[in-house]
Amino acid sequence: MTTTATEPLKSKDYKSEVPPTWCPGCGDYGVLNALLKSYADLQLDINNTVMVSGIGCSSRIPYFVKTYGMHTAHGRVLPVASGVKVARPDLEVIAFGGDGDGFSIGGGHVPHVARKNTDITYIVMDNSIYGLTKGQMSPTSPLGMVTSTTPYGVPDNPLNPLSFCLTYGATFVAQAYSSQGKVLTDLITKAIKHKGFAFIDVVSPCPTFNKVNTFDSYKGHVEDVPADHDVTDVNAAIKLANQSRAEGKVLTGVFYQVEKPTLLDRLGEIRKKAGGSADFDVNSVINGYVP
Amino acid sequence: MAEKKTDLIIRFGGEGGEGIISSGDMVAQAAVRSGLEVLTFKTFPAEIKGGYAMYQTRFAHDKILSEGSGFDVMVAFNQEALELNKKFLKEGNALIYDYPGGDITEEQNIPGVHCYPVPMSKISKEDIGNYRSKNMVCMGAVAELFSISMEQIRGTIQSKFGKKGADIVEMNFKALDAGRDHVRSNIKKTDSYKMDSGKTAENTIIISGNDAVGLGALMAGVQYFSAYPITPATEVAYFLARHLPKANGNLVQAEDEIASIANVIGASYAGLKAMTSTSGPGLSLMQELIGMASMMEVPVVICDVQRGGPSTGLPTKHEQSDLFLAAHGCHGDAPRVVLSPEGVEDCVYLTVEAFNIAEKYQLPVMVLSDGSLGFRTASMKKPDPSKLRLVTREKYEGNGGDFKRYKLTESGVSPMSIPGTPGGAYISTGLEHAESSAPRYTADNRTAMMDKRFKKLDNLEDFFQPTEADYQDGAEIGVIAWGSTIGVAREAVNEARAAGLKVSALYPKLVWPLPLKAINKFIGKHKKILIPEVNKQGQLAKLITGETGCVPISYTIYGGMPFTPAMIAEKIKEISK
């Protein structure tokens, strides 16, 4: 929800007094900065914005911003955020988490917000490692990477968050790179404006625990999504997502965006069918139990 | 020659899907229309079709407290039902069975039992031409034999099948009449049971325990409900799926129980009254987030319709074994409140109270129902929504100043800011936090916050009436029962007193934290405390020992069925020796 205040808010006006707890050089600083800029671009109302997060380094982000927020449990950010949005469609609800939070412990929730097309924005700060618990493999860690729980190398194939979300029907899927501030800011703005479930996978390197997916390693491998890519073609988007990852590329930009009925639309239809009304009298239900 | 009986129990038994449940329902509805009090009880297998199903209806002029001890009339739809119930038939009971032409191949001649063969299958197939009308034929016969009002049964059929068309109604009437006529022409009534009609039904409804929980929630003003299907709790969701959208509320069927409670916490944080329902396995899954709600101080209501555990256990059977889980099943020290309804009427009003407590104290409140209570239907006085006390959370109004979401207060309750409130932005968090909501782990802050959260439990006994005491002068034995065992215990106490024993009783509806003022007083006045409960470990008894030091006589059963009044009365007699 946007407001037109007499004095436009600047990105620093959205910053809370709580200083970020991330390590020096963490990619998540880039996400926070882009986020604050996007909020200012949209002139988001601080009182009508709720940032919901799971658990992990990235999930501390609500504390660093002045809006309403919920720092929830590991993996449960999406259903909590969904509850907030369905209860209060007037609120702007933005969900945050990391790759472990979103695709390992919380992986079971993603298909359902995607297929329901719940009207929330979900930003995953993907560093391919568990940072807060000090460097264990995550579902996006590359095969063979040595981590504290995989001293002989990761034995599992990495999950591709983009094709995962595309497959289950997310209506906005994008990828960004945390140090590309302008691109990321614009993508966040687009995602927040999108009606329905909007997902951004932000490649956000962890300089402390992930010595493979480093800023250096991405040099020369970050490119724009091809200009001729059709963002309304889901199969093309899945192909692009899988191919680019296989080639070790980080394509930034929108992979897919279409408009479809959202969970809020459908629940509205149900209330209409049921004859929903503010004048509802519970006695009408009670009388249905008179034999 | 038949004497009027004011308390009659008819049991229907047969193959699941054969119309046993609709027969029982129909009889129950007709009886309520005739002005009688009714309580039904059913058990069925965990399979969709087939297996033995039983539905029992008890009618009386006065308030019925439990499903009773046994039955007076048995209606056997098939051989299996007959075999399973033969051993319970007592002298003077009546047995109606499908013969000849049905699954039962032998004529019954059980000494002392009045046996009435009614060829329900044959009549429905040959005379009505619809095998599915067997239960209607049966009902006609039962109504004729025990003077249940045919007019009221017709009324029930009309209101139940009216929408499906006049043909269906007519076919049912025809089957009903055929059953009645068969009895009139072929059976000489020799038993003594006759149902007297009651006073005119006024302001009475008949409703199941699960629907009653939904109704309570609706009356309390629930606006958001999220659940995952699980026996025996699913009907709570069915009820709200039908009615909540009418009140402009939303029901979201979640992908699992964890998502359900997460959804509910989000909705409540956003300012709405929100609820979920589940059964044991689902409650296990929700525990982490119940702790989070406790830490975040977000009001949520969780209805747990208990079934036999652990694991998949006895999914369709009765047990009261989630008390430990409800009270303590969470990591860390997480305050929550657990209420347990005695009967259908309590399901309505305790659910309302659960919302009141959740809102007032900003914490999770559980309603512990159980399978037999959830599935039971009973007559009750129409609730009057205009007479309810409804509490809503104390809100921060946004009048400026330094808002502290977790402000340390005398009562432990701090005003809650709802998103949208200017100046009220804060982070609701599962991390230990300062008054401002920012993470803080210092020892002083931790201790103060822990104390704040637990303070809310101190005055529950003053906030609502959590116990009902039934003292008898000079009694040395005191019975404490909880949940749906209360009704059974009430009858048992009456029975024991009728037999000349002195016995008192205490019925706590608040089962965690324990209402210690009332419990300590009660324990202090009696030499022996008996606690009957349907679980293996004697869970309430152990909680009471832990909190009071009193070691009660714990009487537990855990075979999948509730106590009967006779069992508890017998135990009272035994310990009084």
Side-chain angles (χ1 to χ4, degrees), chain A residues 47-48 62-63 66 68-71 73 76 79-80 83-84 88 109 112 116 271 274 276-277 280 282-283 287 289 291, chain B residues 33 205-206 211 239 242 245-246 250 253 255 258 263 269-270 382 385 417-421 424 426-430:
Chain A
N47 296 315
N48 283 300
Y63 294 110
K66 264 188 185 164
Y68 278 84
M70 296 183 88
H71 180 219
R76 312 305 163 202
V80 175
V84 176
R88 292 279 304 281
H109 301 303
H112 304 284
K116 288 175 193 223
R271 289 195 305 276
S277 142
F280 168 74
V282 70
N283 285 303
N287 289 330
Y289 286 86
Chain B
R33 289 168 75 105
I205 58 172
I206 177 163
D211 281 14
F239 177 95
R242 277 199 310 280
K246 296 180 195 167
N250 289 304
Q253 180 172 320
E255 56 271 26
I258 300 173
N263 271 289
Y269 164 85
K382 251 192 203 179
S417 168
I418 304 303
T421 309
Y426 75 101
I427 309 300
S428 188
T429 175

Side-chain angles (χ1 to χ4, degrees), chain A residues 7 13 35 75 80 92 127 151 153 165 178 180 196 212 227 232 270 289:
Chain A
E7 276 292 313
D13 296 325
L35 187 79
V80 175
E92 196 60 70
N127 58 12
C165 288
S178 73
Q180 284 189 332
V212 174
T232 64
I270 285 171
Y289 286 86

